[in-house]
Amino acid sequence: MLKIKNVRMINPATKTDIYGDITIDGDKVLSIKETVKPEGKGEKIWKEDAEGNMVLDGAGLVAAPGLVDVHTHFRDPGFTYKEDIASGAKAAAAGGYTTVIMMCNTKPAIDSTETLAYCLEKGRETEIHVLSCGAVTTGLKGEKLTPMEDMKEAGAVGFTDDGIPILDEELLREAFIKAAELSVPVSLHEEDPALIGNNGINRGAASAHFGISGSPREAEITMIDRDLKVALETGAIVNIQHISTKEGVELVRKAKAIPGNHVHAEATPHHIALTEQDVIKKGTLAKVNPPIRAEEDRQAILAGLKDGTIDIIATDHAPHAPEEKAKELTQAPSGMLGLETALPLALKVLREEAGMSLMEILEKLTCNPADMYHLSCGRLEEGKVADLVLFDPDEEWVLTKVHSKSENTPFMGERLKGKIYYTICEGKIVYAGE
Ligand code: DOR
Ligand code: ZN
């Protein structure tokens, strides 16, 4: 058995925030016992007791449900030089994640039950839970729907063409109707390419600095506006991914005020932590789709997280090889790593700048994403699967290496706040902080 003593347990699903002891037997949480707030900090190392149990003095640590990422690019099959399911799962565990949902822009795309089966099988070989969406359209071409019903049957937890927007409104409506029938979410990448000069760089201060046309906010706003209308009309569960504009946040806020809506929205750690001024400094490493925009957009995203308009923090973990990110700005691919820096970035920015509590932050990393995809994970409760993360929310550390196959993060060398000590999945220690 694993015994974690004197730890602060935060379970957002039940709004529980207590000090006490957790006992894990096999893959389940056997018991949670409340005690009193401990003095000082524990040693953070496991010791064997007389009965052969492994015991950790968790004083000073927070135990939360294992984090759930609903937006992960693992590049497998097809681009395994950037990441594969095994290396991605290691990066996830290092970031405190015990469940991730793969996006479908692999090669081939995850648009058939065969490719889905390959991913899920590879996922089962890892030490965390690797789940997957299915693509909405075949080859992400936006022309024809995939066999959504068969793919749900084969284990797809939802549908997305992430990376690529669905331009054909009629096809989108059809997909929403089918997804509503199947009771699964459709997650949407909202950028109209017709309005974009160069992707990944905000049209504004950043595009002016680099002397390029960039990607205007209207590209996102118009797509979110259209998609929310179709969502409300069809009753589909929709998820606006990686929201980047203040207007987008406001559109989601209005849609969520309509009774009976099934609207969700994600923010990424990088849209929470950075502005286009950082993109000017970091160049291709901070080039992402949709782009990181102005301070007023970042502030609107923080406000949206605080008031519940944005219910999910999702990484958009997007590995790319060094030689790809070394290309000139307009040629380099968009995307940055996310899994290993998400928790510290969220903890620092949302506590210090948005005044959010640990409970409010953790619910957007655990039960909210789990609930949207109808998953039972994201909870730390007696009798449930023992998926949890143990971290010191205030410890500062410097990011010097990552577990991912790629290294494309603008946060390398940065001082971060919030250090993960252990990730436990199905009762097994799958990551021990170095
Ligand atoms: O920057 C991004 N990169 N945004 C996406 O939506 C896709 C991702 C990728 O796959 O590289
Ligand atoms: Zn996307």
Side-chain angles (χ1 to χ4, degrees):
M1 286 197 278
L2 295 181
K3 296 188 172 194
I4 305 156
K5 306 268 191 199
N6 305 317
V7 74
R8 179 176 174 191
M9 281 171 256
I10 300 184
N11 182 37
T14 54
K15 300 272 185 285
T16 308
D17 185 351
I18 56 171
Y19 290 90
D21 303 340
I22 307 170
T23 303
I24 296 168
D25 190 10
D27 63 350
K28 299 263 167 32
V29 175
L30 178 69
S31 69
I32 289 176
K33 297 261 182 302
E34 187 169 1
T35 57
V36 291
K37 184 176 176 181
E39 295 290 326
K41 295 199 174 197
E43 268 184 274
K44 303 188 182 80
I45 45 172
W46 297 87
K47 293 185 178 157
E48 199 169 339
D49 71 6
E51 288 95 52
N53 302 309
M54 297 307 290
V55 184
L56 180 79
D57 181 355
L61 296 179
V62 170
L67 308 184
V68 179
D69 187 33
V70 296
H71 195 143
T72 308
H73 297 275
F74 274 173
R75 312 300 192 201
D76 190 355
F79 303 103
T80 52
Y81 63 95
K82 300 178 196 243
E83 191 84 286
D84 58 32
I85 292 171
S87 65
K90 286 207 168 69
Y97 286 89
T98 52
T99 302
V100 300
I101 298 180
M102 281 179 60
M103 297 291 99
C104 304
N105 59 348
T106 50
K107 197 172 169 194
I110 309 172
D111 61 0
S112 68
T113 52
E114 290 77 18
T115 308
L116 177 65
Y118 164 85
C119 295
L120 297 181
E121 181 51 38
K122 278 276 182 108
R124 277 190 289 274
E125 290 166 14
T126 72
E127 292 187 315
I128 64 156
H129 309 287
V130 178
L131 309 176
S132 185
C133 274
V136 178
T137 69
T138 303
L140 312 186
K141 290 206 176 83
E143 292 164 359
K144 181 169 144 287
L145 296 188
T146 58
M148 290 170 66
E149 194 158 349
D150 295 347
M151 292 190 72
K152 186 197 168 190
E153 195 76 1
V157 293
F159 291 90
T160 184
D161 273 6
D162 179 51
I164 310 215
I166 302 166
L167 298 176
D168 180 337
E169 186 175 329
E170 267 322 298
L171 195 67
L172 180 88
R173 185 171 283 107
E174 250 184 80
F176 280 7
I177 291 168
K178 190 71 197 168
E181 203 180 294
L182 298 172
S183 230
V184 289
V186 181
S187 290
L188 298 155
H189 182 113
E190 306 289 43
E191 285 191 293
D192 184 350
L195 303 180
I196 296 176
N198 313 89
N199 67 23
I201 301 295
N202 185 44
R203 182 172 296 168
S207 67
H209 172 85
F210 293 116
I212 59 174
S213 156
S215 174
R217 56 185 49 253
E218 290 73 24
E220 174 172 283
I221 301 164
T222 50
M223 292 285 291
I224 294 181
D225 191 29
R226 183 201 70 172
D227 291 358
L228 289 176
K229 284 189 182 124
V230 184
L232 293 168
E233 179 194 312
T234 56
I237 307 166
V238 299
N239 172 31
I240 306 298
Q241 296 177 292
H242 41 46
I243 201 158
S244 72
T245 57
K246 64 179 195 293
E247 294 87 351
V249 176
E250 192 51 33
L251 286 169
V252 171
R253 186 173 284 120
K254 291 213 172 92
K256 280 196 165 188
I258 296 170
N261 79 83
H262 300 288
V263 173
H264 299 268
E266 295 171 5
T268 70
H270 44 272
H271 289 101
I272 294 171
L274 303 176
T275 69
E276 59 185 334
Q277 297 305 326
D278 299 294
V279 181
I280 289 171
K281 288 190 209 119
K282 301 280 181 176
T284 63
L285 281 179
K287 179 185 177 187
V288 288
N289 298 343
I292 292 161
R293 300 193 194 268
E295 174 63 7
E296 61 193 29
D297 296 298
R298 190 179 76 92
Q299 287 300 336
I301 293 168
L302 298 188
L305 284 158
K306 173 83 179 153
D307 75 9
T309 300
I310 303 170
D311 45 330
I312 294 170
I313 297 170
T315 68
D316 197 3
H317 179 79
H320 291 293
E323 60 275 18
E324 294 170 322
K325 279 294 191 180
K327 290 183 182 169
E328 70 166 278
L329 188 67
T330 55
Q331 302 305 311
S334 293
M336 67 170 79
L337 302 182
L339 288 164
E340 300 184 55
T341 46
L343 182 63
L345 291 174
L347 285 174
K348 182 168 167 64
V349 179
L350 297 178
R351 276 193 302 168
E352 293 177 8
E353 293 190 52
M356 287 170 65
S357 65
L358 281 175
M359 181 75 76
E360 289 173 312
I361 298 165
L362 287 167
E363 80 178 354
K364 294 177 199 291
L365 289 158
T366 60
C367 57
N368 284 0
D371 288 351
M372 183 181 72
Y373 277 100
H374 309 307
L375 306 174
S376 58
C377 58
R379 282 151 171 82
L380 176 55
E381 290 162 34
E382 282 184 358
K384 293 242 186 302
V385 174
D387 291 350
L388 52 146
V389 55
L390 293 161
F391 64 95
D392 182 332
D394 300 313
E395 187 169 329
E396 297 198 2
W397 58 289
V398 176
L399 181 72
T400 54
K401 68 177 175 68
V402 288
H403 296 74
S404 174
K405 256 191 203 182
S406 294
E407 289 190 353
N408 55 308
T409 168
F411 300 106
M412 193 59 81
E414 298 275 317
R415 180 166 286 277
L416 301 173
K417 190 173 177 182
K419 184 168 160 59
I420 294 159
Y421 275 87
Y422 297 101
T423 305
I424 297 173
C425 189
E426 292 187 351
K428 190 173 162 209
I429 300 165
V430 296
Y431 172 75
E434 294 113 44

